């Protein structure tokens, strides 16, 4: 099978192709769509707007195109908007599918104010989308959700480099406990791909996530 100027095995999953092209930023110049184009394709393949039972999964909107483009083009991005403008939902969708692109080499940190708010905002949406994908697909997506630790961990049985303690999506409640420890925990995250997403960044207590 030939796609995007490359030859793939005939049984290669189409989502896997999009995720590989996204991860490797396959540009238009070499036959790709650019990172943003491939990320959009992967999201739309994984999460249809309506599932077979008629339930809404994820409705695409123009702001998501801009948010994906900014995620792919910039090292630091700030999203401003009113309540109910899908900021948390879109951040969760991007964070989850970005992690699916290379789960054993990606550490994603999602910071919120309190544990209660962490479980209501972006991290809650990550959990919802992951569970939705498990329901929609016969094949289990990567990651094992640990509610007690507010994290998704890459399956260590599949991880030959033993990155199971650092490869994953981790929720941090900045106001819970020692802020210095929270800061040190964030700084101490190392992997080939590291992402930090800060919810309610304007809150004074969230400044430790920026240091």
């Amino acid at each position: 099978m030939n796609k995007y100027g490359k030859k793939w095995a005939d049984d290669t999953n189409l989502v896997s192709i999009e995720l590989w092209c996204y991860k490797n930023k396959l540009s238009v110049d070499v036959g790709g769509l650019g990172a943003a184009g491939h990320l959009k394709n992967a999201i739309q393949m994984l999460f249809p707007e309506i599932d077979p039972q008629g339930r809404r999964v994820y409705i695409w909107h123009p702001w998501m195109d801009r948010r994906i483009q900014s995620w792919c083009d910039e090292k630091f991005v700030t999203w401003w908007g009113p309540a109910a403008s899908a900021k948390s939902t879109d951040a969760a969708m991007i964070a989850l599918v970005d992690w699916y692109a290379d789960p054993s080499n990606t550490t994603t940190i999602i910071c919120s104010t309190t544990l209660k708010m962490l479980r209501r905002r972006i991290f809650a949406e990550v959990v919802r989308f992951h569970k939705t994908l498990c329901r929609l697909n016969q094949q289990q997506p990567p990651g094992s959700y640990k509610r007690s630790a507010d994290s998704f961990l890459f399956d260590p049985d599949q991880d030959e480099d033993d990155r199971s303690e650092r490869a994953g999506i981790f929720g941090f409640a900045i106001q819970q406990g020692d802020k210095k420890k929270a800061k040190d925990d964030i700084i101490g995250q190392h992997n080939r791909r590291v992402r930090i997403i800060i919810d309610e960044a304007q809150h004074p207590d969230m400044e430790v996530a920026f240091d």
Side-chain angles (χ1 to χ4, degrees):
M1 169 173 41
N2 289 296
K3 195 170 182 66
Y4 303 127
K6 295 188 173 294
K7 188 171 180 60
W8 311 83
D10 290 339
D11 60 350
T12 304
N13 181 281
L14 294 179
V15 175
S16 297
I17 293 175
E18 298 295 341
L19 290 175
W20 186 93
C21 293
Y22 159 67
K23 181 183 73 172
N24 290 281
K25 303 180 186 296
L26 200 68
S27 69
V28 175
D29 294 341
V30 296
L33 303 175
H38 290 295
L39 180 55
K40 178 177 181 177
N41 279 356
I43 291 172
Q44 292 185 318
M45 288 178 179
L46 288 169
F47 298 94
E49 292 199 350
I50 306 295
D51 72 10
Q53 287 73 44
R55 291 173 290 190
R56 186 171 68 174
V57 177
Y58 178 78
I59 305 299
W60 200 270
H61 57 93
W63 281 103
M64 184 55 154
D65 287 304
R66 296 184 64 175
R67 288 166 179 168
I68 283 181
Q69 197 68 55
S70 67
W71 170 274
C72 293
D73 291 350
E74 308 294 339
K75 292 184 68 175
F76 301 96
V77 178
T78 301
W79 295 350
W80 288 92
S85 59
K87 299 186 302 296
S88 293
T89 299
D90 291 352
M93 177 64 79
I94 291 172
L96 183 61
V97 178
D98 170 78
W99 186 69
Y100 286 158
D102 195 3
S104 66
N105 295 304
T106 304
T107 299
T108 300
I109 302 164
I110 299 176
C111 302
S112 193
T113 48
T114 65
L115 187 59
K116 180 180 179 181
M117 291 298 102
L118 181 71
R119 291 175 175 173
R120 284 186 177 181
R121 294 174 179 154
I122 296 175
F123 194 82
E125 291 290 86
V126 170
V127 173
R128 180 172 71 86
F129 283 130
H130 183 80
K131 288 182 175 179
T132 297
L133 192 59
C134 291
R135 174 172 56 83
L136 291 174
N137 293 271
Q138 294 182 348
Q139 184 176 1
Q140 176 76 14
S144 178
Y145 173 47
K146 306 295 183 184
R147 189 180 190 281
S148 61
D150 292 294
S151 64
F152 285 87
L153 294 178
F154 185 71
D155 187 349
D157 293 335
Q158 301 176 19
D159 190 2
E160 61 185 17
D161 295 327
D162 193 25
R163 295 193 183 92
S164 60
E165 291 301 315
R166 52 184 167 138
I169 303 176
F170 303 92
F172 279 77
I174 299 298
Q175 288 182 333
Q176 304 286 136
D178 188 340
K179 293 180 185 176
K180 183 180 184 302
K181 183 179 184 304
K183 175 182 175 180
D184 291 343
D185 287 344
I186 293 171
I187 292 173
Q189 301 294 324
H190 299 287
N191 211 333
R192 294 176 189 171
R193 304 167 81 234
V194 177
R195 285 84 166 90
I196 300 178
I197 299 173
I198 304 171
D199 194 13
E200 299 297 329
Q202 77 280 3
H203 194 287
D205 287 335
M206 301 304 286
E207 65 183 18
V208 300
F210 289 93
D211 292 343

